[in-house]
Short mmCIF file of all heavy atoms in Angstrom, two decimals:
data_model
loop_
_atom_site.label_atom_id
_atom_site.label_comp_id
_atom_site.label_asym_id
_atom_site.label_seq_id
_atom_site.Cartn_x
_atom_site.Cartn_y
_atom_site.Cartn_z
N LYS A 1035 4.26 23.89 17.71
CA LYS A 1035 3.42 25.20 17.82
C LYS A 1035 3.32 25.71 19.25
O LYS A 1035 3.22 24.98 20.22
CB LYS A 1035 1.92 24.78 17.30
CG LYS A 1035 1.03 26.01 17.04
CD LYS A 1035 1.67 26.92 15.87
CE LYS A 1035 1.67 26.03 14.51
NZ LYS A 1035 2.21 26.91 13.33
N LYS A 1036 3.55 27.07 19.37
CA LYS A 1036 3.45 27.73 20.60
C LYS A 1036 2.25 28.66 20.33
O LYS A 1036 2.34 29.66 19.71
CB LYS A 1036 4.70 28.40 20.88
CG LYS A 1036 4.77 29.16 22.27
CD LYS A 1036 6.07 29.50 22.74
CE LYS A 1036 6.75 30.48 21.76
NZ LYS A 1036 8.12 31.02 22.38
N THR A 1037 1.15 28.34 20.95
CA THR A 1037 0.00 29.13 20.89
C THR A 1037 -0.64 29.18 22.25
O THR A 1037 -0.15 28.81 23.19
CB THR A 1037 -0.93 28.65 19.71
OG1 THR A 1037 -2.02 29.63 19.61
CG2 THR A 1037 -1.54 27.30 19.95
N VAL A 1038 -1.90 29.76 22.26
CA VAL A 1038 -2.58 29.86 23.61
C VAL A 1038 -3.89 28.90 23.50
O VAL A 1038 -4.32 28.51 22.46
CB VAL A 1038 -3.08 31.32 23.87
CG1 VAL A 1038 -1.84 32.17 24.20
CG2 VAL A 1038 -3.88 31.93 22.82
N PRO A 1043 -7.16 32.25 26.79
CA PRO A 1043 -5.98 32.80 26.04
C PRO A 1043 -4.83 33.40 26.96
O PRO A 1043 -3.83 33.81 26.42
CB PRO A 1043 -6.61 33.97 25.20
CG PRO A 1043 -7.88 34.18 25.68
CD PRO A 1043 -8.41 33.18 26.46
N THR A 1045 -3.31 31.57 28.93
CA THR A 1045 -2.46 30.20 29.12
C THR A 1045 -2.06 29.71 27.79
O THR A 1045 -2.71 29.87 26.76
CB THR A 1045 -3.24 29.19 29.99
OG1 THR A 1045 -4.45 28.75 29.16
CG2 THR A 1045 -3.70 29.68 31.34
N TYR A 1046 -0.91 28.97 27.81
CA TYR A 1046 -0.40 28.43 26.68
C TYR A 1046 -1.25 27.21 26.19
O TYR A 1046 -1.82 26.56 26.89
CB TYR A 1046 1.00 27.88 26.88
CG TYR A 1046 2.08 28.89 26.90
CD1 TYR A 1046 2.89 29.16 27.97
CD2 TYR A 1046 2.40 29.62 25.73
CE1 TYR A 1046 3.98 30.03 27.97
CE2 TYR A 1046 3.49 30.44 25.64
CZ TYR A 1046 4.21 30.76 26.81
OH TYR A 1046 5.26 31.58 26.83
N HIS A 1047 -1.06 26.88 24.93
CA HIS A 1047 -1.36 25.54 24.38
C HIS A 1047 -0.08 25.21 23.55
O HIS A 1047 0.24 25.77 22.50
CB HIS A 1047 -2.50 25.67 23.40
CG HIS A 1047 -3.04 24.25 23.08
ND1 HIS A 1047 -4.18 24.04 22.36
CD2 HIS A 1047 -2.63 23.00 23.47
CE1 HIS A 1047 -4.34 22.68 22.21
NE2 HIS A 1047 -3.39 21.96 22.89
N LEU A 1048 0.69 24.29 24.10
CA LEU A 1048 2.06 23.92 23.48
C LEU A 1048 1.74 22.56 22.77
O LEU A 1048 1.15 21.58 23.31
CB LEU A 1048 3.01 23.73 24.55
CG LEU A 1048 3.34 24.89 25.45
CD1 LEU A 1048 4.42 24.50 26.47
CD2 LEU A 1048 3.72 26.04 24.53
N TYR A 1255 -5.20 24.73 13.12
CA TYR A 1255 -4.31 23.76 12.47
C TYR A 1255 -5.07 22.53 12.10
O TYR A 1255 -4.58 21.61 11.51
CB TYR A 1255 -3.20 23.43 13.48
CG TYR A 1255 -2.64 24.73 14.01
CD1 TYR A 1255 -2.81 25.09 15.30
CD2 TYR A 1255 -1.86 25.53 13.10
CE1 TYR A 1255 -2.38 26.37 15.67
CE2 TYR A 1255 -1.43 26.83 13.59
CZ TYR A 1255 -1.65 27.15 14.79
OH TYR A 1255 -1.21 28.34 15.25
N ASP A 1281 0.55 28.77 9.38
CA ASP A 1281 0.93 30.09 9.76
C ASP A 1281 2.41 30.30 10.11
O ASP A 1281 2.67 31.39 10.49
CB ASP A 1281 0.07 30.57 11.00
CG ASP A 1281 0.25 29.68 12.18
OD1 ASP A 1281 0.96 28.67 12.17
OD2 ASP A 1281 -0.35 29.93 13.21
N GLU A 1282 3.22 29.41 9.62
CA GLU A 1282 4.68 29.64 9.76
C GLU A 1282 5.27 28.39 9.12
O GLU A 1282 4.72 27.38 9.04
CB GLU A 1282 5.21 29.66 11.28
CG GLU A 1282 4.84 28.51 12.13
CD GLU A 1282 5.11 28.60 13.62
OE1 GLU A 1282 5.94 29.53 14.06
OE2 GLU A 1282 4.59 27.80 14.43
N GLY A 1288 7.17 26.61 15.84
CA GLY A 1288 7.24 26.65 17.34
C GLY A 1288 8.09 27.76 17.85
O GLY A 1288 8.30 27.91 19.04
N GLU A 1289 8.72 28.51 16.83
CA GLU A 1289 9.61 29.54 17.41
C GLU A 1289 8.93 30.93 17.88
O GLU A 1289 9.37 31.55 18.98
CB GLU A 1289 10.62 29.98 16.23
CG GLU A 1289 11.50 28.89 15.98
CD GLU A 1289 12.47 29.14 14.84
OE1 GLU A 1289 12.49 30.30 14.32
OE2 GLU A 1289 13.23 28.23 14.39
N ALA A 1290 7.78 31.21 17.28
CA ALA A 1290 7.06 32.40 17.65
C ALA A 1290 5.72 32.08 18.29
O ALA A 1290 5.13 30.98 17.88
CB ALA A 1290 6.90 33.36 16.42
N LEU A 1291 5.19 32.90 19.09
CA LEU A 1291 3.92 32.75 19.60
C LEU A 1291 2.91 33.04 18.60
O LEU A 1291 2.80 34.21 17.97
CB LEU A 1291 3.66 33.75 20.79
CG LEU A 1291 2.27 33.69 21.41
CD1 LEU A 1291 2.10 32.31 22.17
CD2 LEU A 1291 2.04 34.84 22.35
N LYS A 1292 2.03 32.06 18.16
CA LYS A 1292 1.18 32.24 17.17
C LYS A 1292 -0.23 32.39 17.71
O LYS A 1292 -0.65 31.57 18.76
CB LYS A 1292 1.15 31.03 16.16
CG LYS A 1292 2.44 30.69 15.59
CD LYS A 1292 3.11 31.89 14.85
CE LYS A 1292 2.42 32.21 13.54
NZ LYS A 1292 3.20 33.25 12.85
N LEU A 1293 -1.03 33.37 17.31
CA LEU A 1293 -2.38 33.55 17.82
C LEU A 1293 -3.45 33.50 16.65
O LEU A 1293 -3.03 33.87 15.50
CB LEU A 1293 -2.49 34.93 18.52
CG LEU A 1293 -1.59 35.21 19.62
CD1 LEU A 1293 -1.72 36.65 20.00
CD2 LEU A 1293 -2.01 34.29 20.78
N GLU A 1298 -5.30 38.36 17.75
CA GLU A 1298 -4.25 39.21 17.45
C GLU A 1298 -4.35 40.64 18.22
O GLU A 1298 -3.24 41.14 18.66
CB GLU A 1298 -4.06 39.40 16.05
CG GLU A 1298 -3.13 38.27 15.42
CD GLU A 1298 -1.74 38.23 15.94
OE1 GLU A 1298 -1.23 39.20 16.50
OE2 GLU A 1298 -1.10 37.08 15.79
N ARG A 1301 -2.61 40.79 21.59
CA ARG A 1301 -1.27 40.11 21.61
C ARG A 1301 -0.47 40.68 22.63
O ARG A 1301 0.08 39.92 23.57
CB ARG A 1301 -0.56 40.33 20.26
CG ARG A 1301 0.80 39.73 20.29
CD ARG A 1301 1.57 39.78 19.04
NE ARG A 1301 1.13 38.56 18.09
CZ ARG A 1301 1.69 37.45 18.18
NH1 ARG A 1301 2.75 37.14 18.89
NH2 ARG A 1301 1.15 36.44 17.47
N ILE A 1304 -1.63 39.45 26.10
CA ILE A 1304 -1.40 37.98 26.17
C ILE A 1304 0.01 37.75 26.56
O ILE A 1304 0.37 36.95 27.39
CB ILE A 1304 -1.88 37.28 24.91
CG1 ILE A 1304 -3.50 37.26 24.79
CG2 ILE A 1304 -1.39 35.81 24.88
CD1 ILE A 1304 -4.02 36.84 23.46
N GLU A 1305 0.92 38.44 25.72
CA GLU A 1305 2.38 38.18 25.93
C GLU A 1305 2.82 38.53 27.33
O GLU A 1305 3.75 37.97 27.86
CB GLU A 1305 3.12 38.80 24.87
CG GLU A 1305 3.01 38.14 23.45
CD GLU A 1305 3.80 38.82 22.30
OE1 GLU A 1305 4.17 40.02 22.51
OE2 GLU A 1305 4.16 38.10 21.33
N ALA A 1306 2.15 39.64 27.83
CA ALA A 1306 2.59 40.05 29.15
C ALA A 1306 2.30 39.07 30.28
O ALA A 1306 2.98 39.12 31.32
CB ALA A 1306 1.85 41.41 29.37
N LEU A 1308 1.86 35.59 29.83
CA LEU A 1308 2.41 34.23 29.59
C LEU A 1308 3.77 34.08 30.11
O LEU A 1308 4.71 35.05 29.92
CB LEU A 1308 2.51 33.94 28.10
CG LEU A 1308 1.13 33.67 27.41
CD1 LEU A 1308 1.28 33.48 25.93
CD2 LEU A 1308 0.38 32.53 28.01
#
Side-chain angles (χ1 to χ4, degrees):
K1035 194 62 64 181
K1036 182 165 62 176
T1037 183
V1038 294
T1045 61
Y1046 280 118
H1047 192 179
L1048 302 179
Y1255 313 106
D1281 60 358
E1282 57 187 344
E1289 292 176 9
L1291 178 70
K1292 306 305 289 187
L1293 298 175
E1298 274 298 343
R1301 174 174 284 272
I1304 289 170
E1305 287 181 341
L1308 290 173

